[in-house]
Amino acid sequence: GQFLLGNQLEGDSHLHGAGEQFLHAFLAKCFAKAPQLCRIARPLVLEILVARKVLPGGGLPPTLAHVLIALIERMLEVAARAPSGSNTQPWKAYVLTGNIKTRLSDEIMAVYKNKEKFEALTEDYRYYPDIWESPYIERRRKVGLDLYKLLGLGRDDKAGMQAQHGRNYLFFDAPVGIIFTMDRTMNTGSWLDFGCFLQNFMVAARAREMDTCAQAAFNRFHPVIRQVTGIPESEIVICGLALGFADYSRIENSLISEREPVSGFAKFLE
């Protein structure tokens, strides 16, 4: 995948003004810098202004970054309504923007490009099976080959494939990266709960015209992630997620992965 905006929200300055004058000025700046965000910003900007007593004046007006964070808070509220066994709510989220997101990407890429350091890493948990069997191995191979074909990467282009995979650790240039974790003390059932939470968040993002890409690729880099973010060893690093606005002019975003028909995985019993 590939996202728009990147780090355009970094160093965003405050706009000053009162009431509708401020709102129009803010949305004009928003449209110039991030038209996708502008489409969904107006009602939230008004709420932020009222909450901070900026209507009709006074207080600190929000920046585009403030608006984006407020949107994420709303989406997390929606996601947290996911069902969980005995209402345990085992999920945790670390929302990264600006300098810390850039620093994490830089630190991971430095390890990713160093073969010795990369091979010394171990996963925080086993995501894939130790032994691949049909039909799962065929599905995995096909979606990978379909992506690389779109990108013009042949089977022997190992460098190209490595570079493409490395884009995971840049959050595909999305303005927001999220690292999700869960306490190690939780058991298998809590992973089901987390899946419901994650899907809720991704659906909430689409409802706000935003796009996501869940990224298990971060799992292996949990020592680097802990060093940069301060996530404790008591939490399992489950996955990352890129959040922003997909750049549909990029060929990789045209890939639609195949799905089994319902008859292939469901049985109706009477």
Side-chain angles (χ1 to χ4, degrees), residues 105-179:
S105 293
D106 290 344
E107 295 282 349
I108 290 179
M109 288 301 292
V111 175
Y112 180 65
K113 293 177 179 180
N114 185 309
K115 184 178 181 181
E116 183 178 350
K117 291 183 178 180
F118 175 74
E119 292 181 348
L121 296 174
T122 57
E123 295 176 311
D124 212 10
Y125 67 94
R126 294 292 292 162
Y127 187 95
Y128 291 115
D130 294 324
I131 300 175
W132 284 93
E133 297 179 347
S134 183
Y136 311 111
I137 185 61
E138 290 86 0
R139 293 172 183 168
R140 185 189 192 200
R141 285 172 176 165
K142 186 175 190 313
V143 73
L145 290 173
D146 287 348
L147 173 61
Y148 293 140
K149 184 178 179 180
L150 281 175
L151 293 169
L153 300 174
R155 291 174 181 265
D156 298 326
D157 190 352
K158 303 301 182 184
M161 292 180 183
Q162 183 185 31
Q164 175 60 28
H165 185 74
R167 293 196 54 71
N168 272 283
Y169 310 121
L170 304 178
F171 294 97
F172 298 108
D173 295 330
V176 180
I178 305 178
I179 300 294

Side-chain angles (χ1 to χ4, degrees), residues 130 228 236:
D130 294 324
V228 174
I236 298 175

Side-chain angles (χ1 to χ4, degrees), residues 189-234:
S190 293
W191 290 77
L192 301 178
D193 302 338
F194 171 75
C196 295
F197 167 82
L198 181 62
Q199 181 74 3
N200 269 13
F201 183 83
M202 296 171 79
V203 171
R206 286 303 305 131
R208 289 158 178 79
E209 301 185 47
M210 300 183 76
D211 301 288
T212 59
C213 179
Q215 300 167 281
F218 281 97
N219 172 16
R220 188 165 183 166
F221 292 88
H222 62 96
V224 184
I225 294 171
R226 295 183 199 285
Q227 182 180 359
V228 174
T229 64
I231 294 173
E233 287 286 349
S234 59

